Amino acid sequence: NLEPGRVNHMEVSVDSTEEDTTEYTWYVLDDDSSTTVKDAVHEKTAKKVSYTPRLNDAGSVFAFAVVRKDSSGAVLSTQRFQVACKYVRREFRELSEADKTSYFDALSIIYHTQTEEGKDTYGSKFRGSDYFVKKHLGAMTLEACTPWHDSEVFVTAHAAFNLEYEGSLRSIDESLSAHYWEITEDNSRYAENWATQSPIFSADMFGSFDFSTSSEHAYIADGRFTDVTFPTCDDDDASCPEHSIYGYMIDSNSYQSGATLERAGSACGIPTTSKLPGCQFAERAMSSKDLRKFWANVELRYHGDQHGLIGGVRGCKFEVGTELSEFAHNTTVMRYAEDIVLFMSIWGRTLFAYDDMDLGDYAGTVVCPHSTDDCVDDTDCTCSLPTVLEAIDNGSFDLDYAINVLTETSLYSDIAGARGWAAMFDVADDDGDDISIDNWQNAFVDLDTKQTEALLLYTAKQAAYHPRSIMAYALSLGSVNDPIFWAGHNSWERMWHWKRIESVTATDHEKTWWNSWNESDVLADSNAATCTWSSGAESTLPFYDLMKDESTENKYYTNKDMLRMFHPDNKALPHIYDSLEYNHCTGDLSDNDDVDVQHADFRTNLMSSVRKKMAQRYGAKVERGYTDHEATQLNSYYESLFHMKTLDNYEDRPIYEGTYSP
């Protein structure tokens, strides 16, 4: 392989014990439309030739010949061969110091330069973090769906995001690639100490955690990204529908008041102790039998769980260490507390969606500020359940009250579903209760009655007050605000390459599955909140001109296009990985008795309940229709993403009409 942007050497191998008096002349038999390879190699006479391919050479395959002649000019032998020209994505720990410095310097430019400003300096392929944040964030609050998540589109869209990101890197330095972080290695090497020991979180990479749980903020402690700030939306910019009440481009249910990026490494006052996804989760993904199962194992398990662990949660009214101080040295109780806090950081979007809704006699009405003018002071600038907070203050909050709060917010059934036990509804209605607490002791595995009661009480309190500082990376949709996004969203693509190469030896039926798209109706799937316009094989997505491909010239890509284009067997694919091996994954990968895997599965199962709620909300929104105001904003947003109006299929972008009048 010849790597663009680097000096590559091709050399004739000879027996060094013999004197070689012959000449070697190099010929380019096929330049694959390259404008540079012939000038560098063709008809050069030498044992070794050097060549630095350019950016546009990526995805080429060159044909060479080396002719050996004696001193009289007679041809002794000819060797013909082909060489691919592709970028190499490497694991961060395998980078040389020079390559590491070049990569992180460029990444810093992306996170400190607005897109339009950067284009003036680096060219049309430059994209700043403002572009990527806005695009990945979507318009969940208005649209009630996500274009890039919750179904197979996660795979194609995020692979396209990576290529788009690489284009921006290479506009700065054409030798760069979107390198990856093999997260399972940190599980194997550092276990629960990954946040303090992994070089990924060091000054010369993505920056260290500030582990102080008492300080007001959790800024990145060192390195290039300590001063990264959220992009902002102008008040009159209709193309920026998803933002916080402070105007930051981040999930609307974020109430972080400051603009500077934070990364906590803790959950409501306790340091994160859960391990990152390990080899068991990689094994599940690589054992997938088709694309749909691969997506589920990657997005929902191998990939999704690390968002909350890395991002963390701060600004909690009810700190774990205070509320569960009696159990501070019980690792099982603390692990469940961490599970609950991390889950509820995403569950908060459900609470946010229920703004001004009366949930019941115990939970009361959801109250969320719509602007900073609604905030009495900084500590109250978040969603809450005032009825529950009042009960806590006046002393009427007890286990019976807590379980009814959990019932009315559906958290009781969420925990029941994640644990696989059935909540028992009260058959007697003369005691004022809506649900039986006869079987609440079964809520958590390996906890006694006292510990379980304490956790249920804490969960209900946590439901009453949405943490003010859920870190950007923990929020998923707005996670691009943290540069670590690009490290954590690439390693799964290496798995995809491995699976698709493996499928070359599969049966015709298996190959069909791996190269086909699931065409089930997203709205009929109560577990998926993927936008209908992005979920089909023929759906047009706002990605274009990311690699050589004649059939998509002057067009936006469809999912079907990207399934074909991103196949590792496609010679035009501009990159390969340094390795497709998982040598650190050894021994028995059975996870039935692994406590860490059980807790990770518990968090994943909890998240499945949020996905169902989001899917139901999306279905209801589609059935109801969008208002004129919503349609106008959504059309403006998607026009900004499908910004190349001259492309042939520009009209295939999503177009909304106002059909609902409140």
Side-chain angles (χ1 to χ4, degrees), residues 580-595:
L580 297 180
E581 296 181 343
Y582 288 78
N583 294 328
H584 60 286
C585 293
T586 58
D588 182 12
L589 295 182
S590 172
D591 52 29
N592 293 332
D593 298 322
D594 191 311
V595 173

Side-chain angles (χ1 to χ4, degrees), residues 30 95-96 101 219 225 230 285 381 387 401 472 522 559 561 577 587 601:
D30 185 354
L95 294 177
S96 68
T101 298
Y219 300 132
F225 308 111
F230 301 141
C381 205
T387 302
Y401 195 110
V522 168
N559 285 311
D561 291 330
Y577 284 88
D601 282 337

Side-chain angles (χ1 to χ4, degrees), residues 526-586:
S526 61
N527 294 319
T530 311
C531 300
T532 55
W533 67 263
S534 68
S535 62
E538 302 290 348
S539 295
T540 301
L541 274 62
F543 300 100
Y544 68 97
D545 191 27
L546 300 179
M547 55 181 283
K548 299 174 183 176
D549 187 67
E550 289 185 5
S551 65
T552 57
E553 192 170 331
N554 206 52
K555 291 181 179 179
Y556 289 107
Y557 300 156
T558 66
N559 285 311
K560 186 177 180 180
D561 291 330
M562 290 187 281
L563 268 184
R564 171 183 56 80
M565 293 163 61
F566 299 163
H567 198 294
D569 283 348
N570 180 8
K571 81 164 192 174
L573 189 70
H575 62 269
I576 56 176
Y577 284 88
D578 57 349
S579 170
L580 297 180
E581 296 181 343
Y582 288 78
N583 294 328
H584 60 286
C585 293
T586 58

Side-chain angles (χ1 to χ4, degrees), residues 496-553:
W496 194 26
H497 278 212
W498 188 91
K499 283 299 299 183
R500 299 190 86 184
I501 290 173
E502 180 198 49
S503 72
V504 171
T505 61
T507 65
D508 290 341
H509 176 73
E510 289 171 334
K511 289 179 182 178
T512 298
W513 271 111
W514 264 100
N515 294 286
S516 298
W517 198 262
N518 184 341
E519 290 293 356
S520 60
D521 184 358
V522 168
L523 288 177
D525 183 350
S526 61
N527 294 319
T530 311
C531 300
T532 55
W533 67 263
S534 68
S535 62
E538 302 290 348
S539 295
T540 301
L541 274 62
F543 300 100
Y544 68 97
D545 191 27
L546 300 179
M547 55 181 283
K548 299 174 183 176
D549 187 67
E550 289 185 5
S551 65
T552 57
E553 192 170 331

Side-chain angles (χ1 to χ4, degrees), residues 176-193:
L176 297 176
S177 292
H179 300 303
Y180 68 95
W181 170 29
E182 183 42 63
I183 200 167
T184 59
E185 285 200 24
D186 292 74
N187 177 292
S188 299
R189 294 185 186 188
Y190 314 116
E192 67 274 8
N193 299 313

Side-chain angles (χ1 to χ4, degrees), residues 150 341 398 568 581:
D150 232 23
V341 169
D398 57 12
E581 296 181 343

